[in-house]
């Protein structure tokens, strides 16, 4: 029982299905790598435009959170700063 058809091959594994799954994941990983490169380029563009990339990343993180969660963090940050005399 060998071959590359949709039949069963080694040890009862459907080879074509397995190959399809692996190839789909590999394709998506390549896309992810390309997207990460695109994001890096945008941050480079922001930096050369005079923006602080670290702050932009913080803003992006905040925008992913719920407003109540952001408010709670900002309140705690304020309390901690005051406790430290900042």
């Amino acid at each position: 029982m060998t071959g590359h058809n949709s039949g069963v091959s080694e040890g009862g594994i459907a080879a074509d299905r397995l190959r399809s799954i692996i190839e789909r994941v590999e394709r998506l990983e390549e896309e992810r790598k390309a997207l990460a490169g695109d994001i890096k380029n945008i941050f480079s563009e922001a930096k050369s435009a005079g923006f602080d990339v670290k702050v932009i990343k913080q803003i992006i993180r905040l925008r992913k959170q719920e407003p109540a969660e952001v408010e709670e963090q900002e309140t705690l940050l304020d309390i901690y700063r005051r406790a430290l005399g900042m």
Side-chain angles (χ1 to χ4, degrees):
M1 281 197 194
T2 59
H4 296 286
N5 58 21
S6 59
V8 175
S9 65
E10 204 61 37
I13 294 173
D16 282 355
R17 183 74 193 275
L18 177 60
R19 187 175 299 107
S20 165
I21 288 168
I22 290 170
E23 288 171 355
R24 283 162 47 207
V25 170
E26 288 172 338
R27 232 181 350 265
L28 289 171
E29 285 176 345
E30 282 302 312
E31 287 178 34
R32 178 168 50 192
K33 200 187 309 180
L35 289 171
D38 291 345
I39 290 170
K40 189 177 178 183
N41 290 341
I42 294 170
F43 282 128
S44 293
E45 179 186 328
K47 189 174 183 177
S48 36
F51 293 108
D52 186 318
V53 170
K54 195 188 272 188
V55 175
I56 290 175
K57 288 180 179 182
Q58 286 178 315
I59 297 281
I60 292 169
R61 234 182 349 264
L62 287 171
R63 286 167 55 107
K64 289 178 186 176
Q65 297 176 337
E66 293 296 318
E69 194 180 342
V70 173
E71 191 179 331
E72 182 184 340
Q73 285 181 0
E74 288 175 349
T75 301
L76 282 172
L77 186 58
D78 189 45
I79 291 169
Y80 289 5
R81 278 185 174 148
R82 275 186 280 141
L84 296 170
M86 296 174 70

